[in-house]
Amino acid sequence: QKELFQVYWYDNGPDYVQDGLFRIIKDGKIGFANEAGEIIIEPKYKCTEPFENGKAKATYDCDWAKGKEHLMIINAKWLTIDTKGNETPFSE
């Protein structure tokens, strides 16, 4: 049986389901799948944050740095994506 994707590992366990989606990894890129295991947003991002209120931050380019307790994402050019994968410019 072919492995479709790996579940993104977060806080010492599999990623949490937020807004019906969880992060996955395929070929070194991050995307999102639903609770049925269907890929909803194809893995194409280098860094993402989980969904919250129907939106998530994602980027094609970022770096990781060691913080006091966790790795931190730095130098990211963020986009906002919705639960269908539509991208818009990020704004705070």
Side-chain angles (χ1 to χ4, degrees), residues 72-88:
M72 302 180 326
I73 298 171
I74 60 171
N75 300 329
K77 297 168 185 72
W78 292 109
L79 301 164
T80 299
I81 57 173
D82 65 20
T83 56
K84 293 182 176 26
N86 297 310
E87 299 177 354
T88 54

Side-chain angles (χ1 to χ4, degrees), residues 39-56:
I39 296 174
I40 303 302
I41 300 172
E42 282 296 323
K44 58 184 176 181
Y45 301 105
K46 187 170 179 186
C47 296
T48 63
E49 292 193 354
F51 275 93
E52 185 176 331
N53 300 319
K55 304 277 185 206

